[in-house]
Amino acid sequence: MGRRWRDGHGELVVRGDGGGPSVRVPLEIATSYRARTKGLLGRDFIDGAILLSPANSVHTFRMRMPIDVAYLDRHLRVIAVRTMRPGRLGMPRLRARHVVEAGAGVMSEWGVREGARVEVVVSGG
């Protein structure tokens, strides 16, 4: 069930608990080595989130802001969510295939928590 995306944009869809409304978040998609390496480096904020794929760990060296990090398995189920301050090295997650990064504190507002499933909708064009 391998997923193959390209660098670009889309939406992260977080399904609501118990059939509640879904949350749709603007998403940058970083799949090339260059895009994944750059990630959120040098930014003061992000509108939405960024997906790094493939990835099973991240670091926040040279970052300017704290971030939320969600580790996703191959079925896009959330394995773990962590908040990381600048200058930290995240532990690799063995089952993780993708990582979503966003500003600190927003993932809980979106309903991104361990066990949740998300969907990546790629923008056309």
Side-chain angles (χ1 to χ4, degrees):
M1 184 160 195
R3 303 221 190 294
R4 301 292 295 188
W5 297 292
R6 294 183 175 199
D7 291 349
H9 293 87
E11 286 185 319
L12 180 72
V13 180
V14 183
R15 301 286 174 209
D17 290 336
S22 298
V23 175
R24 299 178 85 83
V25 178
L27 182 69
E28 293 179 36
I29 301 170
T31 60
S32 68
Y33 176 78
R34 184 176 183 157
R36 284 182 288 128
T37 302
K38 183 173 186 220
L40 296 177
L41 293 177
R43 299 193 202 185
D44 292 320
F45 70 94
I46 180 171
D47 179 27
I50 185 169
L51 171 75
L52 308 175
S53 179
N56 69 354
S57 68
V58 297
H59 69 81
T60 57
F61 300 122
R62 297 185 1 225
M63 291 192 70
R64 298 179 182 173
M65 61 183 178
I67 59 170
D68 281 350
V69 179
Y71 299 89
L72 309 177
D73 69 11
R74 64 187 182 128
H75 301 289
L76 301 183
R77 185 171 306 276
V78 179
I79 297 170
V81 179
R82 299 288 180 262
T83 299
M84 295 177 64
R85 295 190 326 215
R88 302 292 193 259
L89 179 62
M91 300 226 356
R93 305 291 168 167
L94 295 179
R95 294 180 331 178
R97 298 294 180 266
H98 320 283
V99 173
V100 176
E101 297 177 344
V106 299
M107 287 199 185
S108 63
E109 295 173 17
W110 299 338
V112 176
R113 61 186 51 88
E114 188 174 330
R117 281 196 72 177
V118 299
E119 180 182 350
V120 173
V121 179
V122 178
S123 298

